[in-house]
Amino acid sequence: MTTSLKAACAACLFLATTAHAQTTPDANLPLWEFGLGAAALSTPSYPGADERENRVLVFPNIVYRGEVLRADRSGVNARLFSSDRAEFDIGFAGALPSDSDDVDERAGMPDLGPLIEFGPRLKLRLADMGNNRRIRAEFPLRAVIEARGGLHARGYTFEPRVAYEMAGERGVWTLETNLSVVLGDRRINRHFYEVAPQYATATRAAYAADSGLIATRLGLFGSRRVNEDVRLFGYVRYESFKGAANRDSPLHVKDSGVSGGVGVMWTFKRSGRRGSGRETVDPALM
């Protein structure tokens, strides 16, 4: 949950979908679509880090519009309840690892392994403003698991979010801005900010992390369709760490951070069968 929770890998999952106007119901769209995507991403190694992770990724572009199982701009999830204004699902996401040898403040400490997060999420459509514009809210609660030398529980995160979305005619272009706060229990904060006594040095004091605020985020996401099969996308996200629960940790060295990325998606195969179920609260704008 950190820059880990929504930058790199999760950013690709968030952006890797085919665009359609907000008013297009699932029943008019292919049940599944498949293609490839590529993205160049830059993000802090973890929230509050001074060093950055810069990566070029190639990933599958997969969309599945089932009644329950779905893979779309929100990631992979199982939709358990849906109405015109609300949805409840169980979702999954991922995050890339960070090598401690590349982060001066973490030198000699264990690496931060890949993260897997899953859990329930409530989505609400707050307002339809016409002309493919809307305001929605999300309330995801996620369990975080680190995959490094086995699977290890790393606590829980909660990230309430409000988003404003708009799209051009037939989804030729899309734009979303969102504001969220990221809260974590003691275990996930320990994962990023605790310094056990055996890792303390003359310049890095031992530190016991506590639960609480991790970051406040403001994001901007956009895309532009080149043709029926190719779409360009980009995002930028600003994170403020002022007021963070573990701002005094020697591993927490910055008050803010910026993540960003650009990429392209190519869809080369579509199902002849139409999707099932109603339009989602946050339809596949991307």
Side-chain angles (χ1 to χ4, degrees):
M1 149 88 270
T2 77
T3 296
S4 268
L5 285 186
K6 269 236 170 41
C9 220
C12 288
L13 284 172
F14 181 87
L15 293 166
T17 68
T18 302
H20 296 284
Q22 290 183 342
T23 55
T24 304
D26 283 357
N28 293 334
L29 302 174
L31 175 62
W32 56 263
E33 302 178 21
F34 184 79
L36 289 174
L41 306 172
S42 179
T43 180
S45 298
Y46 59 88
D50 194 27
E51 284 78 7
R52 303 185 64 81
E53 300 287 334
N54 301 307
R55 300 180 186 254
V56 175
L57 303 176
V58 177
F59 51 90
N61 174 23
I62 300 173
V63 177
Y64 186 79
R65 301 182 179 94
E67 179 69 30
V68 177
L69 181 62
R70 305 183 65 84
D72 54 28
R73 65 177 305 217
S74 297
V76 179
N77 59 79
R79 187 168 61 181
L80 304 181
F81 168 82
S82 178
S83 71
D84 291 338
R85 291 290 176 180
E87 285 182 32
F88 182 76
D89 63 23
I90 303 295
F92 298 82
L96 296 174
S98 177
D99 190 339
S100 291
D101 290 341
D102 297 330
V103 181
D104 291 344
E105 288 76 23
R106 292 189 60 87
M109 296 184 65
D111 295 336
L112 300 177
L115 296 179
I116 304 167
E117 55 172 300
F118 68 94
R121 173 180 55 180
L122 175 65
K123 298 189 289 185
L124 301 175
R125 185 179 300 178
L126 301 182
D128 283 310
M129 307 173 70
N131 297 320
N132 290 330
R133 297 176 301 151
R134 66 179 58 182
I135 299 175
R136 63 179 173 84
E138 293 186 6
F139 303 92
L141 176 64
R142 296 289 190 248
V144 185
I145 297 174
E146 182 185 20
R148 181 174 62 85
L151 299 178
H152 309 280
R154 293 294 181 245
Y156 294 87
T157 62
F158 180 56
E159 186 180 358
R161 177 187 303 110
V162 176
Y164 172 74
E165 303 171 310
M166 64 178 69
E169 189 68 24
R170 297 189 302 276
V172 171
W173 59 266
T174 68
L175 190 66
E176 176 189 314
T177 181
N178 60 61
L179 177 67
S180 67
V181 293
V182 185
L183 306 170
D185 70 353
R186 186 168 182 266
R187 284 182 296 173
I188 189 62
N189 277 285
R190 288 181 62 188
H191 178 68
F192 293 110
Y193 304 120
E194 185 146 318
V195 179
Q198 63 267 34
Y199 299 116
T201 68
T203 58
R204 184 174 63 206
Y207 180 83
D210 201 358
S211 61
L213 179 68
I214 295 177
T216 302
R217 291 173 168 169
L218 177 64
L220 180 66
F221 302 80
S223 75
R224 177 76 183 187
R225 187 171 66 211
V226 177
N227 56 45
E228 183 180 0
D229 299 323
V230 178
R231 177 167 289 266
L232 306 177
F233 65 82
Y235 83 98
V236 62
R237 185 177 62 210
Y238 172 79
E239 294 181 307
S240 173
F241 308 119
K242 292 183 179 180
N246 294 284
R247 186 62 189 85
D248 293 334
S249 169
L251 306 180
H252 206 313
V253 297
K254 297 192 70 176
D255 282 331
S256 63
V258 177
S259 302
V262 294
V264 60
M265 293 176 293
W266 172 40
T267 300
F268 52 78
K269 188 69 174 178
R270 293 179 174 87
S271 167
R273 182 181 172 187
R274 300 292 92 180
S276 59
R278 65 172 68 241
E279 174 193 42
T280 61
V281 167
D282 56 338
L285 292 179
M286 302 305 296

PDB file of all heavy atoms in Angstrom, residues 2 4 43-46 49 51-53 55 95-103 106 109-115 146 148 191-192:
ATOM      1  N   THR A   2       1.373   1.828  -0.557  1.00  0.00           N
ATOM      2  CA  THR A   2       2.330   2.877  -0.505  1.00  0.00           C
ATOM      3  C   THR A   2       2.439   3.180  -1.920  1.00  0.00           C
ATOM      4  O   THR A   2       1.563   2.900  -2.675  1.00  0.00           O
ATOM      5  CB  THR A   2       3.664   2.342  -0.059  1.00  0.00           C
ATOM      6  OG1 THR A   2       4.189   1.724  -1.140  1.00  0.00           O
ATOM      7  CG2 THR A   2       3.540   1.404   1.034  1.00  0.00           C
ATOM      8  N   SER A   4       3.929   1.573  -3.444  1.00  0.00           N
ATOM      9  CA  SER A   4       3.739   0.208  -3.842  1.00  0.00           C
ATOM     10  C   SER A   4       2.310  -0.093  -4.146  1.00  0.00           C
ATOM     11  O   SER A   4       2.032  -0.849  -5.028  1.00  0.00           O
ATOM     12  CB  SER A   4       4.164  -0.685  -2.703  1.00  0.00           C
ATOM     13  OG  SER A   4       5.462  -1.045  -2.788  1.00  0.00           O
ATOM     14  N   THR A  43       8.424   6.208  -9.736  1.00  0.00           N
ATOM     15  CA  THR A  43       7.743   6.359  -8.451  1.00  0.00           C
ATOM     16  C   THR A  43       8.756   6.259  -7.317  1.00  0.00           C
ATOM     17  O   THR A  43       9.803   5.608  -7.463  1.00  0.00           O
ATOM     18  CB  THR A  43       6.678   5.253  -8.301  1.00  0.00           C
ATOM     19  OG1 THR A  43       6.020   5.386  -7.052  1.00  0.00           O
ATOM     20  CG2 THR A  43       7.307   3.872  -8.383  1.00  0.00           C
ATOM     21  N   PRO A  44       8.505   6.904  -6.167  1.00  0.00           N
ATOM     22  CA  PRO A  44       9.389   6.715  -5.013  1.00  0.00           C
ATOM     23  C   PRO A  44       9.472   5.241  -4.620  1.00  0.00           C
ATOM     24  O   PRO A  44       8.529   4.478  -4.818  1.00  0.00           O
ATOM     25  CB  PRO A  44       8.711   7.550  -3.921  1.00  0.00           C
ATOM     26  CG  PRO A  44       7.940   8.586  -4.663  1.00  0.00           C
ATOM     27  CD  PRO A  44       7.450   7.900  -5.898  1.00  0.00           C
ATOM     28  N   SER A  45      10.596   4.839  -4.072  1.00  0.00           N
ATOM     29  CA  SER A  45      10.795   3.433  -3.700  1.00  0.00           C
ATOM     30  C   SER A  45       9.774   2.968  -2.671  1.00  0.00           C
ATOM     31  O   SER A  45       9.406   1.792  -2.646  1.00  0.00           O
ATOM     32  CB  SER A  45      12.209   3.232  -3.150  1.00  0.00           C
ATOM     33  OG  SER A  45      13.171   3.538  -4.149  1.00  0.00           O
ATOM     34  N   TYR A  46       9.333   3.855  -1.812  1.00  0.00           N
ATOM     35  CA  TYR A  46       8.241   3.618  -0.861  1.00  0.00           C
ATOM     36  C   TYR A  46       7.810   5.005  -0.372  1.00  0.00           C
ATOM     37  O   TYR A  46       8.515   5.998  -0.598  1.00  0.00           O
ATOM     38  CB  TYR A  46       8.673   2.708   0.302  1.00  0.00           C
ATOM     39  CG  TYR A  46       9.836   3.236   1.108  1.00  0.00           C
ATOM     40  CD1 TYR A  46       9.622   4.081   2.199  1.00  0.00           C
ATOM     41  CD2 TYR A  46      11.146   2.906   0.786  1.00  0.00           C
ATOM     42  CE1 TYR A  46      10.685   4.574   2.934  1.00  0.00           C
ATOM     43  CE2 TYR A  46      12.211   3.395   1.513  1.00  0.00           C
ATOM     44  CZ  TYR A  46      11.982   4.232   2.588  1.00  0.00           C
ATOM     45  OH  TYR A  46      13.033   4.729   3.311  1.00  0.00           O
ATOM     46  N   ALA A  49      10.300   7.957   0.720  1.00  0.00           N
ATOM     47  CA  ALA A  49      11.676   7.662   0.305  1.00  0.00           C
ATOM     48  C   ALA A  49      12.224   8.779  -0.575  1.00  0.00           C
ATOM     49  O   ALA A  49      11.474   9.456  -1.290  1.00  0.00           O
ATOM     50  CB  ALA A  49      11.733   6.342  -0.448  1.00  0.00           C
ATOM     51  N   GLU A  51      14.851   8.033  -2.798  1.00  0.00           N
ATOM     52  CA  GLU A  51      15.197   7.376  -4.050  1.00  0.00           C
ATOM     53  C   GLU A  51      13.939   6.992  -4.818  1.00  0.00           C
ATOM     54  O   GLU A  51      12.845   6.917  -4.260  1.00  0.00           O
ATOM     55  CB  GLU A  51      16.043   6.124  -3.789  1.00  0.00           C
ATOM     56  CG  GLU A  51      17.493   6.404  -3.439  1.00  0.00           C
ATOM     57  CD  GLU A  51      17.662   6.841  -1.986  1.00  0.00           C
ATOM     58  OE1 GLU A  51      16.663   6.783  -1.234  1.00  0.00           O
ATOM     59  OE2 GLU A  51      18.778   7.234  -1.609  1.00  0.00           O
ATOM     60  N   ARG A  52      14.112   6.696  -6.112  1.00  0.00           N
ATOM     61  CA  ARG A  52      12.996   6.389  -6.982  1.00  0.00           C
ATOM     62  C   ARG A  52      13.194   5.048  -7.688  1.00  0.00           C
ATOM     63  O   ARG A  52      14.326   4.581  -7.858  1.00  0.00           O
ATOM     64  CB  ARG A  52      12.807   7.484  -8.050  1.00  0.00           C
ATOM     65  CG  ARG A  52      12.613   8.871  -7.467  1.00  0.00           C
ATOM     66  CD  ARG A  52      12.316   9.885  -8.561  1.00  0.00           C
ATOM     67  NE  ARG A  52      11.047   9.603  -9.235  1.00  0.00           N
ATOM     68  CZ  ARG A  52       9.866   9.959  -8.743  1.00  0.00           C
ATOM     69  NH1 ARG A  52       9.772  10.608  -7.597  1.00  0.00           N
ATOM     70  NH2 ARG A  52       8.751   9.677  -9.396  1.00  0.00           N
ATOM     71  N   GLU A  53      12.081   4.451  -8.078  1.00  0.00           N
ATOM     72  CA  GLU A  53      12.082   3.251  -8.909  1.00  0.00           C
ATOM     73  C   GLU A  53      11.616   3.655 -10.308  1.00  0.00           C
ATOM     74  O   GLU A  53      10.511   4.181 -10.470  1.00  0.00           O
ATOM     75  CB  GLU A  53      11.135   2.191  -8.349  1.00  0.00           C
ATOM     76  CG  GLU A  53      11.474   1.714  -6.945  1.00  0.00           C
ATOM     77  CD  GLU A  53      12.702   0.822  -6.911  1.00  0.00           C
ATOM     78  OE1 GLU A  53      12.985   0.193  -7.951  1.00  0.00           O
ATOM     79  OE2 GLU A  53      13.363   0.771  -5.861  1.00  0.00           O
ATOM     80  N   ARG A  55      10.982   2.135 -14.087  1.00  0.00           N
ATOM     81  CA  ARG A  55      10.820   0.844 -14.738  1.00  0.00           C
ATOM     82  C   ARG A  55      10.081   0.981 -16.052  1.00  0.00           C
ATOM     83  O   ARG A  55       9.217   1.849 -16.219  1.00  0.00           O
ATOM     84  CB  ARG A  55      10.061  -0.139 -13.838  1.00  0.00           C
ATOM     85  CG  ARG A  55      10.754  -0.425 -12.511  1.00  0.00           C
ATOM     86  CD  ARG A  55       9.955  -1.385 -11.683  1.00  0.00           C
ATOM     87  NE  ARG A  55      10.553  -1.552 -10.360  1.00  0.00           N
ATOM     88  CZ  ARG A  55      11.219  -2.620  -9.965  1.00  0.00           C
ATOM     89  NH1 ARG A  55      11.400  -3.630 -10.789  1.00  0.00           N
ATOM     90  NH2 ARG A  55      11.706  -2.699  -8.749  1.00  0.00           N
ATOM     91  N   ALA A  95       1.895  -5.057  -6.278  1.00  0.00           N
ATOM     92  CA  ALA A  95       2.890  -3.995  -6.218  1.00  0.00           C
ATOM     93  C   ALA A  95       4.276  -4.571  -6.434  1.00  0.00           C
ATOM     94  O   ALA A  95       4.555  -5.704  -6.046  1.00  0.00           O
ATOM     95  CB  ALA A  95       2.823  -3.275  -4.879  1.00  0.00           C
ATOM     96  N   LEU A  96       5.126  -3.782  -7.055  1.00  0.00           N
ATOM     97  CA  LEU A  96       6.488  -4.225  -7.366  1.00  0.00           C
ATOM     98  C   LEU A  96       7.403  -4.132  -6.148  1.00  0.00           C
ATOM     99  O   LEU A  96       7.155  -3.361  -5.224  1.00  0.00           O
ATOM    100  CB  LEU A  96       7.046  -3.373  -8.504  1.00  0.00           C
ATOM    101  CG  LEU A  96       6.313  -3.506  -9.841  1.00  0.00           C
ATOM    102  CD1 LEU A  96       6.884  -2.499 -10.843  1.00  0.00           C
ATOM    103  CD2 LEU A  96       6.443  -4.913 -10.389  1.00  0.00           C
ATOM    104  N   PRO A  97       8.500  -4.892  -6.144  1.00  0.00           N
ATOM    105  CA  PRO A  97       9.439  -4.873  -5.012  1.00  0.00           C
ATOM    106  C   PRO A  97      10.387  -3.684  -5.074  1.00  0.00           C
ATOM    107  O   PRO A  97      10.465  -2.976  -6.078  1.00  0.00           O
ATOM    108  CB  PRO A  97      10.196  -6.192  -5.194  1.00  0.00           C
ATOM    109  CG  PRO A  97      10.202  -6.404  -6.681  1.00  0.00           C
ATOM    110  CD  PRO A  97       8.859  -5.903  -7.154  1.00  0.00           C
ATOM    111  N   SER A  98      11.107  -3.483  -3.980  1.00  0.00           N
ATOM    112  CA  SER A  98      12.132  -2.450  -3.901  1.00  0.00           C
ATOM    113  C   SER A  98      13.384  -3.049  -3.248  1.00  0.00           C
ATOM    114  O   SER A  98      13.288  -3.700  -2.202  1.00  0.00           O
ATOM    115  CB  SER A  98      11.631  -1.250  -3.090  1.00  0.00           C
ATOM    116  OG  SER A  98      12.642  -0.271  -2.956  1.00  0.00           O
ATOM    117  N   ASP A  99      14.530  -2.863  -3.865  1.00  0.00           N
ATOM    118  CA  ASP A  99      15.803  -3.398  -3.368  1.00  0.00           C
ATOM    119  C   ASP A  99      16.412  -2.424  -2.373  1.00  0.00           C
ATOM    120  O   ASP A  99      16.707  -1.273  -2.716  1.00  0.00           O
ATOM    121  CB  ASP A  99      16.751  -3.629  -4.549  1.00  0.00           C
ATOM    122  CG  ASP A  99      17.994  -4.412  -4.164  1.00  0.00           C
ATOM    123  OD1 ASP A  99      18.331  -4.439  -2.953  1.00  0.00           O
ATOM    124  OD2 ASP A  99      18.638  -4.986  -5.050  1.00  0.00           O
ATOM    125  N   SER A 100      16.614  -2.851  -1.137  1.00  0.00           N
ATOM    126  CA  SER A 100      17.144  -1.957  -0.099  1.00  0.00           C
ATOM    127  C   SER A 100      18.542  -1.458  -0.416  1.00  0.00           C
ATOM    128  O   SER A 100      18.944  -0.383   0.044  1.00  0.00           O
ATOM    129  CB  SER A 100      17.142  -2.670   1.262  1.00  0.00           C
ATOM    130  OG  SER A 100      15.819  -2.876   1.714  1.00  0.00           O
ATOM    131  N   ASP A 101      19.301  -2.206  -1.215  1.00  0.00           N
ATOM    132  CA  ASP A 101      20.642  -1.750  -1.582  1.00  0.00           C
ATOM    133  C   ASP A 101      20.602  -0.486  -2.435  1.00  0.00           C
ATOM    134  O   ASP A 101      21.606   0.229  -2.544  1.00  0.00           O
ATOM    135  CB  ASP A 101      21.388  -2.847  -2.349  1.00  0.00           C
ATOM    136  CG  ASP A 101      21.762  -4.021  -1.456  1.00  0.00           C
ATOM    137  OD1 ASP A 101      21.783  -3.831  -0.216  1.00  0.00           O
ATOM    138  OD2 ASP A 101      22.033  -5.119  -1.982  1.00  0.00           O
ATOM    139  N   ASP A 102      19.449  -0.211  -3.047  1.00  0.00           N
ATOM    140  CA  ASP A 102      19.309   0.979  -3.884  1.00  0.00           C
ATOM    141  C   ASP A 102      18.766   2.175  -3.115  1.00  0.00           C
ATOM    142  O   ASP A 102      18.585   3.255  -3.682  1.00  0.00           O
ATOM    143  CB  ASP A 102      18.376   0.687  -5.072  1.00  0.00           C
ATOM    144  CG  ASP A 102      18.936  -0.387  -5.989  1.00  0.00           C
ATOM    145  OD1 ASP A 102      20.173  -0.498  -6.077  1.00  0.00           O
ATOM    146  OD2 ASP A 102      18.141  -1.114  -6.625  1.00  0.00           O
ATOM    147  N   VAL A 103      18.483   1.989  -1.819  1.00  0.00           N
ATOM    148  CA  VAL A 103      17.911   3.055  -0.989  1.00  0.00           C
ATOM    149  C   VAL A 103      18.867   3.309   0.169  1.00  0.00           C
ATOM    150  O   VAL A 103      19.041   2.455   1.041  1.00  0.00           O
ATOM    151  CB  VAL A 103      16.518   2.659  -0.462  1.00  0.00           C
ATOM    152  CG1 VAL A 103      15.933   3.788   0.384  1.00  0.00           C
ATOM    153  CG2 VAL A 103      15.587   2.319  -1.620  1.00  0.00           C
ATOM    154  N   ARG A 106      17.854   2.577   3.733  1.00  0.00           N
ATOM    155  CA  ARG A 106      17.574   1.188   4.075  1.00  0.00           C
ATOM    156  C   ARG A 106      18.791   0.278   3.867  1.00  0.00           C
ATOM    157  O   ARG A 106      18.657  -0.950   3.930  1.00  0.00           O
ATOM    158  CB  ARG A 106      16.410   0.665   3.234  1.00  0.00           C
ATOM    159  CG  ARG A 106      15.072   1.294   3.557  1.00  0.00           C
ATOM    160  CD  ARG A 106      13.940   0.555   2.836  1.00  0.00           C
ATOM    161  NE  ARG A 106      13.886  -0.844   3.222  1.00  0.00           N
ATOM    162  CZ  ARG A 106      13.205  -1.304   4.285  1.00  0.00           C
ATOM    163  NH1 ARG A 106      12.532  -0.467   5.050  1.00  0.00           N
ATOM    164  NH2 ARG A 106      13.194  -2.592   4.565  1.00  0.00           N
ATOM    165  N   MET A 109      19.326  -3.335   5.376  1.00  0.00           N
ATOM    166  CA  MET A 109      18.042  -3.847   5.871  1.00  0.00           C
ATOM    167  C   MET A 109      17.424  -4.804   4.843  1.00  0.00           C
ATOM    168  O   MET A 109      17.844  -4.838   3.680  1.00  0.00           O
ATOM    169  CB  MET A 109      17.082  -2.676   6.147  1.00  0.00           C
ATOM    170  CG  MET A 109      17.543  -1.744   7.242  1.00  0.00           C
ATOM    171  SD  MET A 109      16.320  -0.427   7.612  1.00  0.00           S
ATOM    172  CE  MET A 109      14.967  -1.407   8.255  1.00  0.00           C
ATOM    173  N   PRO A 110      16.423  -5.595   5.226  1.00  0.00           N
ATOM    174  CA  PRO A 110      15.783  -6.508   4.273  1.00  0.00           C
ATOM    175  C   PRO A 110      15.128  -5.752   3.113  1.00  0.00           C
ATOM    176  O   PRO A 110      14.653  -4.624   3.276  1.00  0.00           O
ATOM    177  CB  PRO A 110      14.733  -7.225   5.129  1.00  0.00           C
ATOM    178  CG  PRO A 110      15.239  -7.104   6.531  1.00  0.00           C
ATOM    179  CD  PRO A 110      15.929  -5.784   6.603  1.00  0.00           C
ATOM    180  N   ASP A 111      15.119  -6.389   1.951  1.00  0.00           N
ATOM    181  CA  ASP A 111      14.425  -5.814   0.800  1.00  0.00           C
ATOM    182  C   ASP A 111      12.924  -5.752   1.060  1.00  0.00           C
ATOM    183  O   ASP A 111      12.386  -6.499   1.889  1.00  0.00           O
ATOM    184  CB  ASP A 111      14.683  -6.656  -0.460  1.00  0.00           C
ATOM    185  CG  ASP A 111      16.145  -6.635  -0.884  1.00  0.00           C
ATOM    186  OD1 ASP A 111      16.848  -5.666  -0.540  1.00  0.00           O
ATOM    187  OD2 ASP A 111      16.568  -7.601  -1.553  1.00  0.00           O
ATOM    188  N   LEU A 112      12.269  -4.873   0.334  1.00  0.00           N
ATOM    189  CA  LEU A 112      10.809  -4.825   0.345  1.00  0.00           C
ATOM    190  C   LEU A 112      10.325  -5.668  -0.828  1.00  0.00           C
ATOM    191  O   LEU A 112      10.500  -5.308  -1.983  1.00  0.00           O
ATOM    192  CB  LEU A 112      10.315  -3.375   0.214  1.00  0.00           C
ATOM    193  CG  LEU A 112      10.769  -2.411   1.317  1.00  0.00           C
ATOM    194  CD1 LEU A 112      10.269  -1.001   1.030  1.00  0.00           C
ATOM    195  CD2 LEU A 112      10.294  -2.881   2.678  1.00  0.00           C
ATOM    196  N   GLY A 113       9.716  -6.822  -0.523  1.00  0.00           N
ATOM    197  CA  GLY A 113       9.315  -7.755  -1.567  1.00  0.00           C
ATOM    198  C   GLY A 113       8.028  -7.338  -2.270  1.00  0.00           C
ATOM    199  O   GLY A 113       7.375  -6.368  -1.898  1.00  0.00           O
ATOM    200  N   PRO A 114       7.653  -8.073  -3.320  1.00  0.00           N
ATOM    201  CA  PRO A 114       6.383  -7.804  -4.014  1.00  0.00           C
ATOM    202  C   PRO A 114       5.214  -7.929  -3.040  1.00  0.00           C
ATOM    203  O   PRO A 114       5.227  -8.782  -2.148  1.00  0.00           O
ATOM    204  CB  PRO A 114       6.325  -8.899  -5.093  1.00  0.00           C
ATOM    205  CG  PRO A 114       7.727  -9.389  -5.228  1.00  0.00           C
ATOM    206  CD  PRO A 114       8.370  -9.228  -3.896  1.00  0.00           C
ATOM    207  N   LEU A 115       4.228  -7.083  -3.219  1.00  0.00           N
ATOM    208  CA  LEU A 115       3.061  -7.091  -2.349  1.00  0.00           C
ATOM    209  C   LEU A 115       1.818  -7.540  -3.115  1.00  0.00           C
ATOM    210  O   LEU A 115       1.638  -7.189  -4.280  1.00  0.00           O
ATOM    211  CB  LEU A 115       2.806  -5.700  -1.756  1.00  0.00           C
ATOM    212  CG  LEU A 115       3.883  -5.143  -0.829  1.00  0.00           C
ATOM    213  CD1 LEU A 115       3.471  -3.754  -0.346  1.00  0.00           C
ATOM    214  CD2 LEU A 115       4.146  -6.071   0.340  1.00  0.00           C
ATOM    215  N   GLU A 146       3.179  -9.911   1.703  1.00  0.00           N
ATOM    216  CA  GLU A 146       4.467  -9.796   1.017  1.00  0.00           C
ATOM    217  C   GLU A 146       4.910 -11.173   0.540  1.00  0.00           C
ATOM    218  O   GLU A 146       4.900 -12.137   1.302  1.00  0.00           O
ATOM    219  CB  GLU A 146       5.530  -9.211   1.944  1.00  0.00           C
ATOM    220  CG  GLU A 146       6.878  -9.016   1.261  1.00  0.00           C
ATOM    221  CD  GLU A 146       7.957  -8.542   2.214  1.00  0.00           C
ATOM    222  OE1 GLU A 146       7.770  -8.731   3.453  1.00  0.00           O
ATOM    223  OE2 GLU A 146       8.972  -8.001   1.755  1.00  0.00           O
ATOM    224  N   ARG A 148       7.980 -12.791  -0.326  1.00  0.00           N
ATOM    225  CA  ARG A 148       9.447 -12.786  -0.296  1.00  0.00           C
ATOM    226  C   ARG A 148       9.899 -13.909   0.627  1.00  0.00           C
ATOM    227  O   ARG A 148       9.749 -13.837   1.828  1.00  0.00           O
ATOM    228  CB  ARG A 148       9.980 -11.434   0.200  1.00  0.00           C
ATOM    229  CG  ARG A 148      11.500 -11.334   0.236  1.00  0.00           C
ATOM    230  CD  ARG A 148      11.954  -9.933   0.594  1.00  0.00           C
ATOM    231  NE  ARG A 148      11.509  -9.539   1.926  1.00  0.00           N
ATOM    232  CZ  ARG A 148      12.162  -9.824   3.062  1.00  0.00           C
ATOM    233  NH1 ARG A 148      13.315 -10.488   3.022  1.00  0.00           N
ATOM    234  NH2 ARG A 148      11.696  -9.437   4.228  1.00  0.00           N
ATOM    235  N   HIS A 191       6.321  -2.425   8.244  1.00  0.00           N
ATOM    236  CA  HIS A 191       6.944  -2.929   7.023  1.00  0.00           C
ATOM    237  C   HIS A 191       7.784  -1.843   6.348  1.00  0.00           C
ATOM    238  O   HIS A 191       8.880  -2.126   5.846  1.00  0.00           O
ATOM    239  CB  HIS A 191       5.862  -3.432   6.073  1.00  0.00           C
ATOM    240  CG  HIS A 191       6.369  -3.924   4.763  1.00  0.00           C
ATOM    241  ND1 HIS A 191       7.135  -5.070   4.631  1.00  0.00           N
ATOM    242  CD2 HIS A 191       6.219  -3.431   3.495  1.00  0.00           C
ATOM    243  CE1 HIS A 191       7.433  -5.259   3.365  1.00  0.00           C
ATOM    244  NE2 HIS A 191       6.892  -4.273   2.653  1.00  0.00           N
ATOM    245  N   PHE A 192       7.307  -0.610   6.355  1.00  0.00           N
ATOM    246  CA  PHE A 192       8.006   0.467   5.657  1.00  0.00           C
ATOM    247  C   PHE A 192       8.893   1.315   6.554  1.00  0.00           C
ATOM    248  O   PHE A 192       9.932   1.809   6.092  1.00  0.00           O
ATOM    249  CB  PHE A 192       6.986   1.373   4.963  1.00  0.00           C
ATOM    250  CG  PHE A 192       6.266   0.697   3.838  1.00  0.00           C
ATOM    251  CD1 PHE A 192       4.933   0.372   3.963  1.00  0.00           C
ATOM    252  CD2 PHE A 192       6.920   0.359   2.675  1.00  0.00           C
ATOM    253  CE1 PHE A 192       4.260  -0.268   2.935  1.00  0.00           C
ATOM    254  CE2 PHE A 192       6.262  -0.282   1.639  1.00  0.00           C
ATOM    255  CZ  PHE A 192       4.934  -0.603   1.769  1.00  0.00           C
TER     256      PHE A 192
END
